[in-house]
Amino acid sequence: MGFKDSILAMLFGFDQEDDPVKEVLESQDIEEPVQAEETQGEVQEEQQDKPVQEAAANELKLPMEHALNQLYDLREEQAGALPAPRLRLEGGEDMSEERLERELERLYTKITDKADARLKKAVPADSKTALGKMGLLAEEEPLSEGEEKPEAPPIELDALPFIFISADKLTAWLMVFPPVGRGKEINKELLEQSLKGSGVAFGVDTELLDRLPGDRERYFRLFRAAKGRPAVQGKDGYVVDYFERSIKRQVSVDEHDRVDYASLNLVQSAEEGAVICEAFPPTKAVSGRTVLNQEIPGKDGKAATLPKGQNTEISKDGTKLLASKTGRVEFGGRAFQVKPTMNIEKNVDYSTGNINFVGDVHICGDVLSGFQVKSMGNITVDGVVEAGTVEAGGDLVIAKGIVGDQEAVIRAGRNVYSKYLEHGIVHARGNVITDCILHSDVYCDGEIQVTSGRGVIVGGRIRAARGIKANAVGTRSGSPTTVVLGGQPCADFDRKLLIQSIEDMEQEMVKLERQPDSPDKARRMGKIRLDLSVNRMKLGQFDKEKEKIEEKLEEQGGCRMKCGILYSGVTLTIGKETLQVSQEVSSCNARLVEGEIRLM
């Protein structure tokens, strides 16, 4: 038994009389492998009976044979029961999964190297065989017969701090290896020296350094010893709009099923000097500092750019976008612009003449028969439009309606809003929204909505590219009403006008050729020939586009007409198919299904 005592004394520096594990060793015979196997089996059974805790996401779990666990076993033999090792990266739960995984891999590499080196010093090669028999290390080759083990001096290793610094240098963790033999326990001075030796000089947890030397769990536990200060990046400047960039053009119906076409609020008006939008400055970055006391520079935010467009200006302090003229505010893709508005306080008649304006036009009265109003912007008419011509590049709003006597021509680059349409020709690139359509020709590249008020479509020819919604189509008396769905109605309308223009020019050429030669005749014929050439080229382009549309007729199955009542006398065409409605249909949903028009 003296040899076992000498090993423990060499490792831990115990006197044989004071050895706390001597009685245990004497009660065991390490020379008998059977008894050792039984003891090992009992230990394994005890370990199996203990509940196994799952490791946290930020915790590193080591295999049982790892050098750190072997050092833990040695310490337990020396000092008795100890809390199990725990290598948890405090604060690591805030990291991304990928970054945390990389930090744990780094921790494993570094702590393995440190533990291996520590184990070699704590357990000399000549004592490994005895420790293997004691169950502290794997068993090695026994000594040859007659060979004696030379005595070695007792091992004295002081407690050893281990410092682990994160890859971004913002966190430093500390773990302490316990002393071996008669080595010195950990103290505050040794902790401070280790941190200083690793370069850790900022954000040190001084309370931890004061507390740790007396903590029961001071060994084999990972503590966050220092925390850096990350840089705070500057925030970019931003723009606050006081006018909408995109206006929602939706018609609201009141409880009496009425629409106030005079209050659609489609126009955003601004007085000269009004603030359209305001830019707020970016913020400066705040530099950070690593636990190694190194500065982490931040990046200042970027300044916001005011979206300056036509008829706008930037204030002297550079923070506000102002309207330089009174008019309508519109956002055109990348910039705000102010389009001047022309206000006509009365009717468009002989007192005003025809109106042709680049910006928006607001007519407080009516547009009388025989007069024209043209604008590249929006047109708003508070009264009625008689047998005149109104052409808007944007939206057209007619608060009371159209009484056209089959001579009113209404054209809009976007939507048409009107109380009613009666005996007129309407041409809309967008949608048509009205209470009723009576004996009118309507060409609409969008959808026709006649669902408020009476919500009826009676007589005339109605063409819509995307569909029709109405309360009733036709009349009980069977008034002829033609409805055509699909295609490009506005393009067809323009094509008819172009053909009519070509025919008129050709007739004019015939008349001019009969006249005697003169400079005036030559000049007029030259101009007509040029115009004819241009219009024929346009017609050819129209025909090419029409061919492309015909190739996509199969996709028109999604175009449909929904109405509460569909009366007889209505002729419905979808694509190339035509249906003559012969009887009244309620809750009708007409669409093209497998090449056939069905009323469902």
Side-chain angles (χ1 to χ4, degrees):
M1 303 301 291
F3 178 69
K4 297 179 222 175
D5 296 336
S6 64
I7 291 294
L8 289 173
M10 178 182 65
L11 289 176
F12 308 123
F14 289 142
D15 293 332
Q16 294 181 14
E17 294 82 1
D18 301 329
D19 189 352
V21 295
K22 183 176 180 181
E23 295 181 2
V24 177
L25 294 175
E26 289 179 349
S27 64
Q28 300 176 357
D29 188 359
I30 62 174
E31 302 295 337
E32 298 179 6
V34 176
Q35 187 175 353
E37 291 176 2
E38 292 176 355
T39 305
Q40 186 176 1
E42 292 175 358
V43 173
Q44 291 177 349
E45 289 178 1
E46 291 178 1
Q47 292 177 348
Q48 291 175 357
D49 293 338
K50 295 179 181 179
V52 179
Q53 285 187 331
E54 293 186 4
N58 60 333
E59 185 173 348
L60 178 66
K61 280 296 184 180
L62 300 175
M64 292 299 297
E65 66 275 8
H66 194 273
L68 186 138
N69 285 326
Q70 296 185 39
L71 289 170
Y72 172 79
D73 291 339
L74 288 175
R75 177 65 180 178
E76 199 171 39
E77 288 291 338
Q78 175 184 350
L82 293 173
R86 189 183 70 183
L87 305 178
R88 182 174 296 176
L89 294 177
E90 183 182 351
E93 59 272 6
D94 298 330
M95 301 179 186
S96 65
E97 185 176 348
E98 182 180 358
R99 183 188 164 197
L100 180 59
E101 185 177 352
R102 290 198 302 267
E103 291 291 356
L104 290 174
E105 289 176 355
R106 291 181 61 246
L107 175 61
Y108 179 82
T109 300
K110 291 183 177 297
I111 206 165
T112 298
D113 293 342
K114 200 74 172 179
D116 285 343
R118 181 75 171 177
L119 184 62
K120 288 179 180 178
K121 293 180 180 180
V123 184
D126 56 4
S127 63
K128 288 183 179 179
T129 302
L131 289 176
K133 293 181 179 180
M134 294 162 58
L136 300 180
L137 287 175
E139 186 174 355
E140 296 183 356
E141 292 287 334
L143 297 173
S144 59
E145 186 175 355
E147 184 179 357
E148 295 184 358
K149 205 63 160 172
E151 293 186 2
I155 296 175
E156 295 184 1
L157 295 179
D158 294 340
L160 178 66
F162 162 74
I163 310 298
F164 176 69
I165 301 175
S166 62
D168 59 8
K169 307 296 189 297
L170 283 174
T171 310
W173 290 275
L174 164 70
M175 192 205 75
V176 182
F177 290 102
V180 177
R182 296 184 183 275
K184 295 180 182 179
E185 295 284 340
I186 192 66
N187 55 56
K188 182 179 179 181
E189 182 181 359
L190 183 56
L191 292 173
E192 290 176 342
Q193 290 177 355
S194 298
L195 289 171
K196 184 177 180 180
S198 299
V200 179
F202 180 83
V204 177
D205 187 350
T206 55
E207 292 184 2
L208 175 68
L209 302 187
D210 292 334
R211 171 180 56 84
L212 192 60
D215 196 323
R216 179 175 176 271
E217 299 182 355
R218 59 189 178 278
Y219 299 126
F220 298 111
R221 292 291 179 103
L222 202 62
F223 300 93
R224 182 164 62 181
K227 185 178 181 181
R229 185 181 64 229
V232 178
Q233 306 299 335
K235 295 182 179 179
D236 293 342
Y238 58 96
V239 174
V240 173
D241 297 333
Y242 300 119
F243 287 82
E244 297 292 336
R245 297 196 179 200
S246 177
I247 302 176
K248 296 180 179 179
R249 296 176 171 84
Q250 294 181 348
V251 177
S252 57
V253 181
D254 62 17
E255 64 274 12
H256 302 293
D257 199 28
R258 294 177 301 188
V259 176
D260 184 2
Y261 290 92
S263 303
L264 295 179
N265 299 319
L266 299 179
V267 176
Q268 299 184 106
S269 298
E271 297 292 331
E272 181 178 350
V275 179
I276 297 173
C277 60
E278 183 175 0
F280 289 84
T283 60
K284 295 287 186 180
V286 179
S287 298
R289 193 157 291 275
T290 69
V291 294
L292 304 180
N293 205 22
Q294 299 168 338
E295 184 180 3
I296 305 174
K299 187 176 181 181
D300 294 340
K302 295 180 180 179
T305 302
L306 289 169
K308 183 180 182 303
Q310 184 181 13
N311 296 326
T312 64
E313 60 185 9
I314 297 176
S315 61
K316 292 182 179 180
D317 60 5
T319 63
K320 299 180 179 64
L321 183 67
L322 309 176
S324 58
K325 288 185 178 181
T326 298
R328 174 172 63 92
V329 179
E330 186 178 79
F331 188 79
R334 294 185 178 181
F336 278 107
Q337 54 188 338
V338 178
K339 294 185 176 180
T341 301
M342 173 182 283
N343 287 304
I344 307 298
E345 300 294 338
K346 49 188 177 179
N347 298 336
V348 175
D349 52 19
Y350 288 104
S351 64
T352 62
N354 295 330
I355 304 296
N356 193 340
F357 189 61
V358 176
D360 292 344
V361 176
H362 182 197
I363 300 169
C364 299
D366 304 330
V367 178
L368 301 186
S369 299
F371 290 92
Q372 295 181 355
V373 179
K374 296 182 179 181
S375 167
M376 294 179 65
N378 298 332
I379 297 178
T380 302
V381 180
D382 291 346
V384 300
V385 175
E386 297 180 355
T389 299
V390 181
E391 297 184 7
D395 290 322
L396 173 58
V397 179
I398 304 172
K400 293 185 178 178
I402 300 169
V403 184
D405 197 22
Q406 298 300 335
E407 293 183 6
V409 177
I410 307 299
R411 298 171 67 90
R414 288 201 291 256
N415 303 321
V416 172
Y417 302 87
S418 179
K419 185 69 174 177
Y420 56 86
L421 305 177
E422 184 176 350
H423 297 285
I425 300 173
V426 179
H427 181 283
R429 297 283 183 181
N431 299 328
V432 174
I433 298 95
T434 182
D435 284 3
C436 65
I437 300 176
L438 304 175
H439 307 287
S440 298
D441 289 342
V442 180
Y443 299 82
C444 176
D445 280 351
E447 184 178 65
I448 297 177
Q449 300 175 18
V450 194
T451 55
S452 57
R454 293 177 60 189
V456 298
I457 298 176
V458 177
R461 184 177 179 85
I462 312 299
R463 300 190 62 176
R466 296 175 55 188
I468 294 176
K469 293 180 181 178
N471 294 340
V473 178
T475 61
R476 293 184 185 277
S477 61
S479 177
T481 305
T482 300
V483 176
V484 180
L485 302 179
Q488 286 188 321
C490 292
D492 292 344
F493 178 81
D494 291 340
R495 185 176 184 276
K496 288 180 180 180
L497 293 179
L498 190 59
I499 292 174
Q500 184 63 47
S501 176
I502 291 173
E503 291 176 353
D504 291 344
M505 289 180 185
E506 289 174 344
Q507 291 177 6
E508 183 69 16
M509 283 288 292
V510 172
K511 291 179 181 179
L512 283 172
E513 287 174 352
R514 293 174 182 172
Q515 294 179 5
D517 293 338
S518 66
D520 182 63
K521 174 183 175 182
R523 181 181 59 79
R524 291 177 60 189
M525 289 189 67
K527 184 178 182 303
I528 293 175
R529 286 193 183 99
L530 180 61
D531 291 342
L532 268 173
S533 177
V534 172
N535 287 348
R536 284 167 179 165
M537 288 177 61
K538 289 182 179 179
L539 183 60
Q541 186 64 32
F542 269 119
D543 292 338
K544 288 181 181 179
E545 292 178 357
K546 184 177 180 181
E547 291 177 1
K548 294 179 181 179
I549 295 172
E550 290 177 350
E551 292 176 358
K552 298 179 180 180
L553 282 177
E554 295 180 359
E555 301 177 6
Q556 298 295 343
C559 184
R560 64 184 68 186
M561 180 177 69
K562 292 184 178 180
C563 58
I565 301 175
L566 178 63
Y567 291 104
S568 61
V570 174
T571 302
L572 176 61
T573 300
I574 305 178
K576 294 182 180 180
E577 301 298 321
T578 300
L579 174 67
Q580 185 70 41
V581 180
S582 58
Q583 60 183 6
E584 183 178 313
V585 181
S586 300
S587 299
C588 177
N589 185 354
R591 59 179 300 182
L592 189 65
V593 179
E594 296 180 353
E596 179 183 354
I597 297 177
R598 295 186 182 180
L599 306 180
M600 297 178 284

